Amino acid sequence: MRWKRPSAPVRELIRQCAQITVNPRAEWLDELDAEVLAASPPIAADPELAAAVSRSNRANMYFWGAANVRDPGAPVPPNTGPEPMNIAREVARRGLTAFTLDAYRVGEAVAWRRLMEIAFELTSDPAELHELLDVCSRSISAYIDATLAGIAARIDQELDDLTRGTHAERRETIALILDGAPITSKRAEARLSYALTGPHTAAVIWSDDPAADMAGLDAAAEAFGHSAGVRPLTVLASTATRWVWIPSGSIDIAVLRDWVDAKPDVRVAIGPTGDGVDGFRRSHFDAITTQQMMARLHSPQRVAQFADVELVALVTGDTDRASEFVRHTLGDLETAEAELQHFVRVFVAEQCNASRAAARLYTHRNTLLRRLARADKLLPRPLAQSSVNVAVALDVLRWRGR
């Protein structure tokens, strides 16, 4: 593309636009993420990939803005930094390459819409506005095209790497099992070196930090197996995610939690134990559901079992409705101290038996009753009339964090 240098006044307007995009408002970034992910449901459903897209959105906006602050109106080179290259790697490993172009084009449209608003705020001169919008339109389009070309090249490289070696065979075999494809158990077991008979417990082990030591994820997979005294089957789902299965249902969750607590970058979602090939599949999908819930709620919990979060996962499928439910159910108890919430939670869990709850809490029964009386004053409805809803709302709070 032949690039004509804009006039001096327009160069100054471009610089002002760029300075705003380098320091965007939070709501602009939220809008960008929301529209990009809404256009790519498979990406939005994957917490790790959705987070990577969000980081890439910000990096791409900053890259274009910074280039135009330095030299307003000049061609912007492609962004081949770590964020877009990480996107290329992850979509290749997940088989989602078709969605990458759509996501970038949606992001381009959102950014262009916002830039037009900025431009109209900076000048009302028709000639300046025409030149400003023309230059910025060509600049953004060329920048995105060049960046996508770099991503496409990296995707091709990743796909070439993935089609060689045992990893590709193992991942392909797992995909066939999970999809219910007609592959015999004997053949699958030979390719995986893992028996598909008997019990299976699946886990998803991942990190939200792209700079984390990925060797720690492999160590976490081994720790998951060690907690049950067996050797795990591990599949590289992506750079920052491992899919793991163990041929056992006897997990020492306390041992696993202790190990994870010492590794701040690692998170673990565990499915229920199931038998045979169907159990192998079901446990994995429930582990995925658990991971998605933890990511959706930005949960501070590091280890979660599906059995503990199944109801919360259902309730929080719509996060806005879930927040309304918590607010309407708990009233002022939602913002009360965690200890009071814990007392109420235990009381309901013990079927509203004060003596049993007090024993479990290692406190005097009268102390518990005083706490419950205080909770009643904070609740919109008395606990005796809403104990089930209160217990569910408090569980949502526990997993969501404050």
Side-chain angles (χ1 to χ4, degrees):
M1 179 186 296
R2 185 178 178 183
W3 206 264
K4 180 181 178 182
R5 192 174 184 85
S7 63
V10 168
R11 278 172 54 83
E12 175 57 24
L13 289 171
I14 293 173
R15 185 186 63 78
Q16 293 177 38
C17 282
Q19 284 180 325
I20 295 172
T21 61
V22 166
N23 298 288
R25 298 175 185 171
E27 58 266 28
W28 295 356
L29 297 174
D30 291 341
E31 177 192 22
L32 178 60
D33 289 345
E35 294 202 26
V36 168
L37 293 176
S40 308
I43 293 177
D46 185 316
E48 181 195 343
L49 193 52
V53 167
S54 179
R55 289 190 295 270
S56 185
N57 286 340
R58 284 150 177 74
N60 288 328
M61 183 179 292
Y62 182 86
F63 191 95
W64 184 88
N68 277 282
V69 169
R70 290 191 303 270
D71 190 359
V76 178
N79 182 6
T80 56
E83 294 85 4
M85 292 303 101
N86 182 54
I87 292 292
R89 181 171 60 249
E90 299 308 336
V91 297
R93 292 185 175 186
R94 289 165 167 81
L96 296 174
T97 55
F99 294 94
T100 308
L101 180 61
D102 292 340
Y104 266 76
R105 291 307 182 195
V106 170
E108 177 185 358
V110 174
W112 173 239
R113 189 168 68 238
R114 187 62 66 185
L115 190 141
M116 283 195 293
E117 292 177 3
I118 296 171
F120 277 93
E121 291 174 358
L122 292 178
T123 181
S124 58
D125 181 276
E128 287 184 346
L129 194 57
H130 180 275
E131 185 181 0
L132 170 61
L133 294 177
D134 177 64
V135 172
C136 288
S137 174
R138 289 186 294 113
S139 174
I140 292 174
S141 179
Y143 165 62
I144 294 298
D145 286 346
T147 298
L148 282 174
I151 290 175
R154 182 57 180 267
I155 287 175
D156 288 343
Q157 179 184 334
E158 290 291 333
L159 291 175
D160 185 59
D161 291 342
L162 288 173
T163 53
R164 297 194 300 266
T166 57
H167 167 74
E169 183 177 86
R170 179 175 293 188
R171 179 65 191 269
E172 178 190 16
T173 304
I174 291 294
L176 291 172
I177 295 172
L178 296 179
D179 290 343
I183 180 173
T184 66
S185 294
K186 183 177 180 180
R187 184 184 179 199
E189 289 174 344
R191 296 175 75 174
L192 296 174
S193 299
Y194 180 91
L196 292 172
T197 55
H200 306 283
T201 306
V204 178
I205 299 174
W206 81 103
S207 174
D208 294 323
D209 183 0
D213 178 11
M214 296 309 155
L217 296 176
D218 297 320
E222 292 297 324
F224 179 59
H226 179 72
S227 70
V230 295
R231 183 176 180 81
L233 165 66
T234 303
V235 174
L236 179 68
S238 71
T239 305
T241 302
R242 304 292 183 268
W243 291 348
V244 188
W245 287 262
I246 56 172
S248 173
S250 302
I251 302 169
D252 191 330
I253 196 68
V255 169
L256 182 62
R257 287 184 192 278
D258 288 344
W259 192 94
V260 172
D261 285 343
K263 304 288 183 182
D265 294 329
V266 174
R267 310 188 77 193
V268 182
I270 304 170
T273 302
D275 289 327
V277 175
D278 287 342
F280 183 93
R281 277 195 291 263
R282 187 175 64 254
S283 185
H284 171 73
F285 290 133
D286 287 344
I288 292 289
T289 297
T290 305
Q291 180 204 23
Q292 291 174 344
M293 185 219 72
M294 294 170 74
R296 184 169 64 245
L297 299 183
H298 304 287
S299 176
Q301 308 292 335
R302 305 278 306 289
V303 178
Q305 294 177 281
F306 179 75
D308 295 331
V309 305
E310 183 174 9
L311 182 56
V312 175
L314 288 171
V315 171
T316 60
D318 184 326
T319 53
D320 290 338
R321 293 289 299 274
S323 294
E324 286 182 24
F325 169 74
V326 169
R327 185 167 56 255
H328 293 158
T329 302
L330 298 183
D332 291 337
L333 184 60
E334 180 182 3
T335 56
E337 64 271 19
E339 185 181 35
L340 179 60
Q341 295 174 354
H342 179 60
F343 270 60
V344 175
R345 187 183 298 112
V346 172
F347 174 70
V348 176
E350 291 297 336
Q351 299 179 329
C352 299
N353 185 300
S355 297
R356 286 204 306 266
R360 180 172 161 185
L361 291 164
Y362 300 101
T363 191
H364 195 279
R365 185 175 184 274
N366 289 340
T367 301
L368 171 62
L369 292 176
R370 286 195 296 272
R371 297 288 180 86
L372 294 176
R374 179 165 173 252
D376 256 341
K377 292 179 180 179
L378 299 175
L379 287 167
R381 296 172 58 207
L383 182 60
Q385 300 175 16
S386 59
S387 60
V388 174
N389 283 7
V390 168
V392 173
L394 287 174
D395 221 19
V396 172
L397 270 190
R398 182 166 69 93
W399 286 101
R400 186 180 71 188
R402 290 181 180 264

